Amino acid sequence: MGGLRLLAVALTCCWWPQGSQGKTLRGSFSSTAAQDAQGQRIGHFEFHGDHALLCVRINNIAVAVGKEAKLYLFQAQEWLKLQQSSHGYSCSEKLSKAQLTMTMNQTEHNLTVSQIPSPQTWHVFYADKYTCQDDKENSQVEDIPFEMVLLNPDAEGNPFDHFSAGESGLHEFFFLLVLVYFVIACIYAQSLWQAIKKGGPMHMILKVLTTALLLQAGSALANYIHFSSYSKDGIGVPFMGSLAEFFDIASQIQMLYLLLSLCMGWTIVRMKKSQSRPLQWDSTPASTGIAVFIVMTQSVLLLWEQFEDTSHHSYHSHHNLAGILLIVLRICLALSLGCGLYQIITVERSTLKREFYITFAKGCILWFLCHPVLACISVIFSDYQRDKVITIGVILCQSVSMVILYRLFLSHSLYWEVSSLSSVTLPLTISSGHKSRPHF
């Protein structure tokens, strides 16, 4: 299992996709690209307020004037209706239905997007006089380098905010999250280090759990650094955004390994064990194979989802197949572990053991189900709010899950009683009466 986790982390590091551009876009307006797609897609942005701004800077004015270069802005809902319409609009008819149009005949252009009753996504397209022509030879002309800045009004109503409506508030959230991690580290780091250092029945569990916590804290810090830079230039530090997602995936793999290791002997192979020894780790090829399959499946799905969606939010709305499969996997894991623990709890006579199992079940189920549940709940929110609901909600829920597990395993009397009453050690532990080889 240790080699498996290292392989998953290595794959994540080697195959990680490059971060997408922020809300300061740089590139070239291409007549060929515009003609091939009936309009070159430049980007999209969720404007809000009365004084949102789109600013474009170009250098080659002569070429832009000669090509009659224009930018077309479509509201997302109207563009979707246009694409799904059965009328079969022609190229020129589609462009004529743009809500806003900008003719580029100067070095710098500013377009104010105002009177927006609620935050809306706008798509920006480039087109010129060659876009709707069939003759591709005429479109082989010089491209126009550009820089585009998309801005929303800040608290004072001035268009200085680089964050779209769907991203607003994330910078402040990650700042508070990093601050909380820092305060907790100052208070508990020394005592936790002493608990890990002295060994005991919780040694390996605390090591794995603390590693997952450090990875989550690293993800929060990387996200904060990225968004801090993003707030100033609209680009941020794409490497830090990708690093945050890498840390998050590594943390997910680490926690999955921990929870599977603790639950494998209780649920998947429980029928093979006597009722007096329900906590023993089963290292048969069948249980090991199942654990390897589940961890590798989640690793592949997480990587697949990141390649499909390169926004630096760590959590997504699951519009693609990989995201849906991840939800299904987490639901199946929660149901499997929950049913297994429920069967053990119903036949367990010891009140102390039942309390341990119930608390552990709460931590497991909260960790696995928070993402699917929040993805379903987010449907009732507006489009621009869904990613924020999932991102903030999952981070908070998984933090609570970690607190539950920490309190459970740092409660020496409860954990020791449960493990000693069964005359065996829990998985990943070493007791004074029975030294088992840690499965790590």
Side-chain angles (χ1 to χ4, degrees):
M1 288 295 287
L4 171 64
R5 292 186 300 113
L6 290 176
L7 174 61
V9 171
L11 288 174
T12 306
C13 184
C14 294
W15 291 352
W16 198 252
Q18 295 297 319
S20 60
Q21 286 183 314
K23 296 307 175 279
T24 297
L25 308 176
R26 297 186 178 96
S28 297
F29 296 130
S30 171
S31 296
T32 302
Q35 190 177 39
D36 291 340
Q38 294 186 349
Q40 180 186 3
R41 184 187 293 270
I42 305 302
H44 66 274
F45 191 69
E46 293 169 336
F47 290 109
H48 67 82
D50 291 331
H51 300 287
L53 184 67
L54 183 151
C55 178
V56 182
R57 302 181 183 93
I58 58 175
N59 294 325
N60 201 333
I61 302 175
V63 175
V65 172
K67 294 197 298 184
E68 300 177 7
K70 293 182 180 180
L71 288 179
Y72 296 84
L73 276 71
F74 294 86
Q75 292 180 359
Q77 294 180 349
E78 298 300 324
W79 175 252
L80 184 61
K81 291 179 182 178
L82 205 59
Q83 294 295 98
Q84 296 176 346
S85 175
S86 60
H87 293 294
Y89 292 109
S90 65
C91 171
S92 57
E93 288 176 333
K94 286 183 179 180
L95 295 177
S96 66
K97 293 185 178 296
Q99 280 71 46
L100 294 173
T101 305
M102 176 193 292
T103 301
M104 291 184 289
N105 52 15
Q106 300 176 10
T107 302
E108 182 172 330
H109 300 76
N110 293 322
L111 176 64
T112 300
V113 184
S114 59
Q115 297 180 351
I116 303 176
S118 61
Q120 297 178 3
T121 300
W122 290 71
H123 296 285
V124 183
F125 292 86
Y126 165 81
D128 53 40
K129 67 180 183 181
Y130 303 112
T131 300
C132 296
Q133 295 182 3
D134 296 331
D135 187 4
K136 292 189 177 182
E137 293 183 1
N138 293 331
S139 64
Q140 302 297 324
V141 293
E142 184 179 355
D143 293 345
I144 306 172
F146 74 90
E147 180 182 79
M148 181 182 297
V149 181
L150 302 164
L151 298 166
N152 272 320
D154 56 16
E156 298 178 356
N158 300 315
F160 297 142
D161 187 3
H162 289 279
F163 291 103
S164 68
E167 298 166 331
S168 62
L170 288 178
H171 182 208
E172 293 79 4
F173 169 74
F174 283 113
F175 169 75
L176 293 175
L177 188 61
V178 170
L179 182 61
V180 169
Y181 277 127
F182 176 76
V183 172
I184 292 176
C186 292
I187 298 174
Y188 296 107
Q190 185 175 1
S191 58
L192 181 59
W193 171 250
Q194 291 175 351
I196 295 175
K197 189 176 180 180
K198 71 180 182 181
M202 299 85 71
H203 175 65
M204 290 306 297
I205 290 178
L206 290 179
K207 280 183 63 176
V208 178
L209 189 59
T210 301
T211 301
L213 179 62
L214 290 175
L215 288 170
Q216 283 207 329
S219 176
L221 179 60
N223 266 319
Y224 172 68
I225 294 173
H226 169 65
F227 280 118
S228 294
S229 178
Y230 186 96
S231 65
K232 300 174 183 177
D233 58 14
I235 298 176
V237 186
F239 170 75
M240 297 305 296
S242 295
L243 188 64
E245 293 176 348
F246 164 72
F247 283 152
D248 180 72
I249 284 186
S251 174
Q252 299 293 324
I253 294 172
Q254 193 87 352
M255 283 297 296
L256 179 61
Y257 165 69
L258 171 64
L259 298 180
L260 280 178
S261 298
L262 289 172
C263 296
M264 191 69 69
W266 303 348
T267 57
I268 298 175
V269 293
R270 178 179 174 273
M271 300 305 297
K272 297 181 181 179
K273 299 185 177 296
S274 64
Q275 292 298 324
S276 62
R277 295 167 63 88
L279 304 178
Q280 187 176 4
W281 167 258
D282 185 88
S283 58
T284 62
S287 64
T288 303
I290 292 174
V292 169
F293 174 77
I294 293 175
V295 172
M296 285 301 297
T297 299
Q298 173 165 292
S299 303
V300 171
L301 290 177
L302 285 168
L303 288 171
W304 181 8
E305 187 189 27
Q306 298 302 324
F307 276 102
E308 291 289 329
D309 187 351
T310 57
S311 60
H312 299 301
H313 291 174
S314 297
Y315 302 100
H316 307 119
S317 300
H318 304 292
H319 296 307
N320 53 48
L321 179 59
I324 295 174
L325 292 177
L326 268 174
I327 286 182
V328 173
L329 175 64
R330 286 165 177 152
I331 293 175
C332 291
L333 286 172
L335 291 176
S336 175
L337 300 180
C339 290
L341 289 171
Y342 176 76
Q343 291 175 6
I344 294 177
I345 293 169
T346 54
V347 300
E348 183 56 61
R349 296 181 179 180
S350 169
T351 303
L352 198 59
K353 284 187 177 182
R354 281 203 305 269
E355 182 183 348
F356 174 84
Y357 289 132
I358 290 172
T359 305
F360 183 80
K362 290 177 181 178
C364 285
I365 293 174
L366 179 60
W367 179 274
F368 286 124
L369 284 187
C370 65
H371 206 167
V373 170
L374 286 167
C376 295
I377 293 176
S378 67
V379 176
I380 66 177
F381 292 88
S382 302
D383 290 342
Y384 73 95
Q385 294 176 320
R386 290 174 184 172
D387 281 347
K388 288 192 291 187
V389 169
I390 295 174
T391 300
I392 296 175
V394 168
I395 291 175
L396 294 179
C397 288
Q398 292 188 344
S399 298
V400 172
S401 175
M402 281 192 166
V403 170
I404 292 174
L405 295 177
Y406 262 117
R407 292 188 62 184
L408 183 65
F409 295 121
L410 286 174
S411 176
H412 184 275
S413 59
L414 179 59
Y415 186 89
W416 181 266
E417 186 71 14
V418 171
S419 59
S420 62
L421 282 175
S422 63
S423 301
V424 298
T425 59
L426 281 172
L428 304 179
T429 66
I430 302 177
S431 68
S432 58
H434 176 79
K435 293 187 181 294
S436 62
R437 184 179 180 181
H439 300 270
F440 183 68

